[in-house]
Amino acid sequence: MALPVPARRTLADGREILYFDTEPVPRTALDQRDLPPTTTHSQTRFDPLLGEWVVIASHRQTRTFLPPADLCPLCPSTAQRATEIPESDYQVVVFENRFPSLAQDVQAAAAETVTGSPLTPLREGFGRCEVVCFTSDHNSSFAQLDAARARLVVDAWAQRSAELSELDGVAQVFCFENHGEEIGVTLSHPHGQIYAYPFVTPRVAKISENLATYRKAHGANLFGDLLATERAAGLRVVAANEEWTAFVPPFARWPYEVQLYPHRRVADLPDLDDAQRDAFATLYLDVLRRFAHRFDTPMPYISAWNQAPTPKSGAPREDWWLHLQLFSIRRAAGKLKYLAGSESGMQVFISDTTPETVAAELREVR
């Protein structure tokens, strides 16, 4: 399907900003701030023990941290104060992060390996990091959006995923939201982020390996079989509609974890058709509101899109099934799940809840 065409503008330091509107809106406001050019010194270093890339981005230590509402850089600009968004109002906006972990104009690595460690390959931290503002209302949240605005966010994710996937050197595009101070959010305005990685992430690489193994052994799609069995059992299904099912995975790692799958396989967000996008917006808002009302205060959460590697990555895409992973570190009222020795040290998760109980609890939330 056709992707939206955002209004493109440039911020004072040269970063790009894109406005997504349901109907065309003149976007003529200029960024009048006196900003120094952004400089990024990111590196990626390869861990030969785990076979994974690690991003080193020490320049992010100075990024904005939990400013008061009247100093929020993601609110619209006013005559008294200029922000990251020059317009006086907006619907959905995307712009390049001023403190990116990865950047397109990053300085080239001075050597092929880390100084004193020939076993550690070194590359520049190439990529792109963007901020996605879901609404101009500082006191709102994604769960409080209406279905039309949520659908506009989906369109923005799809458009950015398609465009970033075309960049040479980008292997995977990751759209996500960190919500809640307990998660580590540094800006409370409703927003998410998009990372364009120069490598396939460990999670996606591992899943891809298992997809291939399952295909060879069973001649079927592992994602599709998992979805079919969960829909048939119904035990862990939280909510569903004609296009999507939201269920707690039987192997859930997090205290509260829900995965949302489209019934018809697509590899990534740009592949979703109109019916799938509309139905996702409705179901996602339903599940988010269950997260918001399960306890006396809304649960902190991470919402993570699992897309296929980009076509230019060379990694397999044919069996990938787009899905969203939504999870919280809250395990009970007033209690958080900390990743301690087993989880952080050995990557072996020990759950404080059972998937079947969590699914039943979330189904009961109204």
Side-chain angles (χ1 to χ4, degrees):
M1 62 168 292
L3 294 169
V5 179
R8 296 175 182 268
R9 300 293 181 265
T10 303
L11 297 176
D13 55 6
R15 288 175 295 134
E16 191 174 30
I17 183 168
L18 300 92
Y19 296 92
F20 292 84
D21 298 292
T22 53
E23 298 292 338
V25 176
R27 297 298 185 187
T28 58
L30 298 177
D31 186 2
Q32 303 290 350
R33 296 173 297 170
D34 183 16
L35 295 178
T38 58
T39 56
T40 304
H41 303 283
S42 297
Q43 300 176 344
T44 57
R45 299 184 180 189
F46 191 73
D47 179 342
L49 297 177
L50 291 178
E52 299 173 358
W53 288 97
V54 176
V55 178
I56 308 295
S58 59
H59 61 280
R60 283 172 51 80
Q61 289 279 30
T62 58
R63 66 187 185 275
T64 307
F65 182 77
L66 293 175
D70 60 346
L71 296 179
C72 175
L74 306 185
C75 286
S77 290
T78 66
Q80 293 74 36
R81 187 173 71 89
T83 71
E84 287 280 66
I85 297 94
E87 294 285 341
S88 60
D89 193 18
Y90 64 84
Q91 294 182 30
V92 174
V93 69
V94 178
F95 62 88
E96 290 183 79
N97 197 323
R98 183 160 173 77
F99 303 96
S101 300
L102 303 163
Q104 292 171 267
D105 59 352
V106 69
Q107 295 179 356
E112 294 185 354
T113 60
V114 173
T115 302
S117 181
L119 298 179
T120 308
L122 173 67
R123 294 180 186 171
E124 65 274 11
F126 172 82
R128 180 155 162 145
C129 295
E130 299 181 341
V131 176
V132 184
C133 296
F134 307 137
T135 171
S136 60
D137 184 354
H138 181 88
N139 297 311
S140 186
S141 67
F142 203 120
Q144 294 173 276
L145 302 181
D146 61 24
R149 177 59 58 84
R151 163 63 197 263
L152 184 60
V153 176
V154 176
D155 286 342
W157 283 330
Q159 193 278 340
R160 298 312 301 142
S161 294
E163 186 167 303
L164 295 174
S165 293
E166 289 298 315
L167 295 177
D168 289 335
V170 170
Q172 184 183 328
V173 178
F174 177 45
C175 305
F176 64 101
E177 180 192 2
N178 299 324
H179 177 80
E181 193 170 331
E182 301 96 324
I183 290 292
V185 169
T186 57
L187 294 172
S188 58
H189 193 106
H191 75 288
Q193 299 180 65
I194 303 175
Y195 277 23
Y197 293 109
F199 49 78
V200 176
T201 61
R203 175 180 173 84
V204 170
K206 182 66 174 178
I207 292 175
S208 295
E209 291 176 9
N210 291 329
L211 287 174
T213 300
Y214 191 86
R215 170 67 69 182
K216 184 176 181 179
H218 302 282
N221 185 297
L222 177 57
F223 283 127
D225 284 357
L226 174 63
L227 174 61
T229 56
E230 288 305 311
R231 291 182 68 192
L235 182 63
R236 288 168 291 273
V237 171
V238 174
N241 58 27
E242 66 281 2
E243 296 284 351
W244 292 77
T245 294
F247 62 91
V248 179
F251 41 79
R253 299 183 173 204
W254 302 95
Y256 283 81
E257 178 179 349
V258 176
Q259 296 189 7
L260 287 76
Y261 278 67
H263 297 163
R264 290 176 287 122
R265 190 193 73 82
V266 296
D268 51 28
L269 285 158
D271 283 349
L272 293 172
D273 63 24
D274 274 323
Q276 289 173 312
R277 295 185 190 190
D278 285 340
F280 170 80
T282 301
L283 186 65
Y284 185 47
L285 289 172
D286 179 355
V287 175
L288 281 183
R289 288 161 185 167
R290 294 173 192 269
F291 266 49
H293 296 106
R294 169 64 185 90
F295 299 111
D296 56 352
T297 58
M299 280 197 276
Y301 65 78
I302 293 174
S303 178
W305 277 109
N306 284 243
Q307 303 196 79
T310 68
K312 291 188 175 184
S313 69
R317 289 170 48 89
E318 57 273 7
D319 257 353
W320 194 268
W321 201 302
L322 173 73
H323 59 286
L324 182 88
Q325 183 188 26
L326 175 70
F327 59 92
S328 178
I329 58 173
R330 182 166 294 169
R331 60 185 176 87
K335 298 179 180 179
L336 299 180
K337 166 69 175 179
Y338 294 100
L339 301 189
S342 185
E343 292 87 358
S344 295
M346 285 291 112
Q347 294 296 300
V348 177
F349 276 67
I350 300 173
S351 180
D352 303 290
T353 58
T354 63
E356 295 74 24
T357 300
V358 166
E361 290 172 351
L362 290 174
R363 281 196 300 268
E364 293 173 3
V365 175
R366 292 292 182 266

